[in-house]
Every structure is written in structure tokens, then in C-alpha cells.
Amino acid sequence: MIFDDMKNTAIKKAFLAKRMTAIASSATKVESMAAYILTDRFNNDVQRLIDGDYYFDLPTLILLRKGQSNRKRKVYSFSEENKILLQYLTFMLMEKYDDIFPETLYSFRKNNPVGKLFRNIRNYDPHRDKYVIKTDIRSFGESIEPAILDKQLKPLLADEPELYSFIMWLITRNRYYRTGKVEEGFTSVLPGNPIVSFLQNVFLLEADSFMRENVRICSRYADDICMICEDRPSAEHLMEQLRKIITNLGLGINEEKSCIVPPGVGYDLLGIKFEPDMTDISENTFLKVSYKMKHRANSICRRVKNGQLTREEGLRLMVGYIRFYYYGKEEDGWISWADRLFQCITTTKSLKKLDHLSQECFRYIATGRHTNAKYRFRYEDIRDTGYIPLVRAYYSRNDCYN
């Protein structure tokens, strides 16, 4: 039983070790988790859930801006200890039930990295001579109907009745805080709740199985779907069948993001641009990284100009941020941003542009100028900061992936 196993000290330590390799984790966060999980108080909290004492606080609704657009997405924030318990529960669910999902599902899987998908695509369609279905589920995280999920979840968790009852309680109480006040309304499966990824995968199990049975190469990552077909009639038929399955689940296809890409035309998939004979970082990925780097450089430069930092301190902050963003931590099991992309791309075209962007950020912090005066800070000075160019890292690591 998952709830009982959550009290096991060895399993707790395995969870904490895995968190150390997570992108969103730090040693401080993991220490905070351990300070709660490795206690009798945590065991008592789990027992309360087993006994049907659902003590969880109401979550808080937060509206976050989507990227650089003005669109908002809903996220429900939980108290720190509630969130930690749910993260641990998600780990347990993934460990026990991962094998029920087909290998074509890549989101939040235990041992199914996206890099494997990209290698399969390159091997199957290296010259872009096949048809590609690209589609997207509209408002996926906010549209899952708990009544439909209930019919899928109940038989799956037949041997976990206490866990099933707790999950259904969590996603159907439909109450939350907003701007400090309690409100009532449909919350779906509470986007932001750590177990949402598992529940979404259960919800779309029929769609994933359909794709796996009918297409040699296909994938789903959260709401992003891709299928590769031999000809247009097959692609059109599969698209219509998938649309029916999605509609029967009470969801909708985002028609604006749906298309059948003909042979020879490039397409984006999960941050990668697939072109004939070449794969590179997608333009959207490049723009997202550029925005983050420029935003951080502007923030640091303001602090330098206000006298809060010296230019040397500002440069150290920037190089630390860039190195962590691209290369992450050095713990065993860590897979960084660069590791993920280096395994997939076959050109350094975009990496060169990102390296140039990093140099411009350093020069702006060092000189406070966007004019030609910034070149007083030479390339040799940038190299002395400890910055590791992406192109150099790509070539030094490339042999490891082949």
C-alpha cells in the first residue's frame, strides 16, 4: 500500500536522493523536505490521511502569465508541508504505476527521456520525407472532468482505497483562496498540484494507447501530441480518430495549433526544430532563453548602477546564473538543459547565437552600455569570468552521446 510505504525510511531517502537531481531542486530545498519527511510528525500526517482525516489546507489560486504573452494560466499553490507530501506521493505513484503507460508517453516518466524520442524520429524520418501530425489539447490542465477521471482512477487504484478516496476528495472539494478570500468553483485537477501529471496521464491513457497501436512513431508530452505517418490520407484519418477520442473525454483540440506538416517542411517538437537533414533548437526555445538572459542581465546591471553591486560582483552573478541554467549541478544523475539539447541537435547554429547573447550580457554588465563602448570589455575578459561557451561544450560532450 502506497500510504504505508511512504512511512518507510529507506523509501524516504530514495525520494530525497531523486529530488537532489531534479531541475527545480536545490540542496536547501531538499534539506527542508528532509526536515519534515524524516520525522514522526510526517508519519502521523500520512496516518491521518489513511484514517480519512483530510487535514489539508485550501490551496491558493494564482494567475500566472504565459511566457511573454498577456494570457494567464491558473495554478493552485499549497502550503509547504502539504506540497512536500504531495510531491512524495507523486514519486510513489510513478514508481508503482509507470508501466501501465505506453512508451510513446514522455511527460513525467520514470525512465523514458525525450532524447529517445528525438533519436527515434531521426532514425525513422532522417530526411523529412513523411507526414507529421502536430496537435495540442486546449486548456488541458484546467479542463479535466473529475467525474470522468473517477471512472478511470477507481479500477486502477482498486487495491489502494484510502489513496483513491483522498485523491478524489482533493480534486472535488472545489474551494480555494483567492486574494485572501475563500471562493468556490470548478478547479479541475488543480493545476500546480504535484500529482496532476500522474492524473493527466491516466486521463489520456486511451488516447496514448490508440496512437501507440496505429502509428510507428508518435509521442505525447502533456498536451503536445505528434504522430508521423507515411501518407496524407493516413494522417487525416488518424487525426480525425484522435479528435473523437479527445472530444469524448470532454476535452477539445486546439485547432490553431493543429496541422499536418508535409514532407520537406520543418516543424517544432518539444523545443527542437526538425528540418530536412538537420535538427536545431526551435525559435521559440531560443526566444525564451534570450528573454531570460536579457532580463537577468538588466536586473544585475540596475543593481550595479545603483551601487548595490560592484561590476565584478555583477559579472560573477551573471556567469553563475548562465552556468547553472545551461549546465546545472554536478551531482550524479543530474541532466541539465545542455545535456537534454545536445543529445538532440545536429548543428551549432543556435548555440552560436546564444553564445553571442551571453557575451552581450557580460559586456552590458561590465560597461553599462549597449553602444560600441561595450567592446572595451574584450572576449579575453569574458573568458576570464569562467563562462563556458555552449559550442565548446557541445563538441566536448558530443562524443559521449554517440
Side-chain angles (χ1 to χ4, degrees), residues 371-393:
T371 63
N372 286 339
K374 65 187 177 184
Y375 291 108
R376 296 171 186 167
F377 195 70
R378 302 167 301 167
Y379 179 77
E380 291 76 10
D381 299 320
I382 295 173
R383 185 179 57 199
D384 290 344
T385 65
Y387 172 64
I388 302 173
L390 283 165
V391 172
R392 190 178 80 194

Side-chain angles (χ1 to χ4, degrees), residues 78 144-150 153 164-175 185-191 193 195-196 199:
F78 291 79
I144 292 178
E145 175 56 56
I148 298 176
L149 179 63
D150 185 18
L153 202 61
Y164 161 77
S165 296
F166 167 65
I167 291 176
M168 291 309 301
W169 169 83
L170 191 66
I171 65 175
T172 57
R173 57 178 172 166
N174 293 331
R175 299 173 68 237
F186 179 70
T187 61
S188 187
V189 291
L190 296 164
N193 178 350
I195 65 171
V196 157
L199 298 179

Side-chain angles (χ1 to χ4, degrees), residues 289-301 303-304 309-326 354 357-366 377 382 385-388:
V289 177
S290 298
Y291 174 79
K292 289 182 179 181
M293 295 301 166
K294 290 177 182 178
H295 180 77
R296 182 54 60 97
N298 288 336
S299 175
I300 291 174
C301 200
R303 295 172 66 187
V304 171
L309 296 171
T310 65
R311 298 211 179 274
E312 290 73 19
E313 290 171 336
L315 288 168
R316 284 197 296 271
L317 274 179
M318 192 67 203
V319 75
Y321 175 76
I322 290 177
R323 289 187 63 162
F324 182 80
Y325 186 91
Y326 288 149
L354 288 175
L357 172 67
S358 297
Q359 293 172 26
E360 294 298 285
C361 290
F362 288 130
R363 288 190 169 107
Y364 180 50
I365 292 170
F377 195 70
I382 295 173
T385 65
Y387 172 64
I388 302 173

Side-chain angles (χ1 to χ4, degrees), residues 11-150:
I11 298 177
K12 291 178 180 181
K13 291 182 177 179
F15 165 71
L16 293 170
K18 185 174 180 63
R19 293 300 304 182
M20 280 298 295
T21 66
I23 291 177
S25 290
S26 64
T28 302
K29 286 185 178 180
V30 175
E31 288 173 4
S32 176
M33 286 183 167
Y36 172 48
I37 289 178
L38 298 175
T39 63
D40 290 336
R41 183 163 57 86
F42 175 82
N43 292 345
N44 291 336
D45 286 345
V46 173
Q47 186 60 48
R48 291 173 67 182
L49 298 181
I50 294 174
D51 295 338
D53 177 12
Y54 303 144
Y55 64 89
F56 270 40
D57 302 326
L58 289 176
T60 298
L61 173 62
I62 302 172
L63 298 178
L64 299 179
R65 192 173 73 171
K66 287 188 174 183
Q68 301 176 53
S69 71
N70 292 321
R71 293 178 299 163
K72 302 284 186 177
R73 65 185 180 94
K74 294 180 179 179
V75 173
Y76 294 89
S77 174
F78 291 79
S79 68
E80 189 61 28
E81 289 191 352
N82 289 174
K83 182 179 177 180
I84 291 172
L85 192 147
L86 289 170
Q87 288 172 330
Y88 186 17
L89 175 58
T90 303
F91 167 78
M92 299 293 288
L93 287 166
M94 297 299 192
E95 289 289 311
K96 181 172 180 178
Y97 294 104
D98 185 73
D99 60 356
I100 73 169
F101 303 111
E103 61 183 9
T104 51
L105 170 64
Y106 291 89
S107 51
F108 314 105
R109 295 300 298 279
K110 181 181 174 183
N111 293 307
N112 206 29
V114 171
K116 184 174 73 173
L117 166 65
F118 295 142
R119 289 192 294 274
N120 289 341
I121 291 175
R122 286 208 303 267
N123 291 335
Y124 180 58
D125 189 20
H127 305 300
R128 278 295 295 115
D129 56 7
K130 304 188 186 305
Y131 288 84
V132 177
I133 298 171
K134 288 283 282 100
T135 190
D136 179 273
I137 300 173
R138 185 175 63 247
S139 303
F140 183 33
E142 302 171 16
S143 304
I144 292 178
E145 175 56 56
I148 298 176
L149 179 63
D150 185 18

Side-chain angles (χ1 to χ4, degrees), residues 7 132 217 243 320 334 353 362 371 374 393 398:
K7 302 176 188 178
V132 177
I217 299 293
R243 183 180 280 108
W334 174 270
K353 291 166 63 178
F362 288 130
T371 63
K374 65 187 177 184
N398 198 42

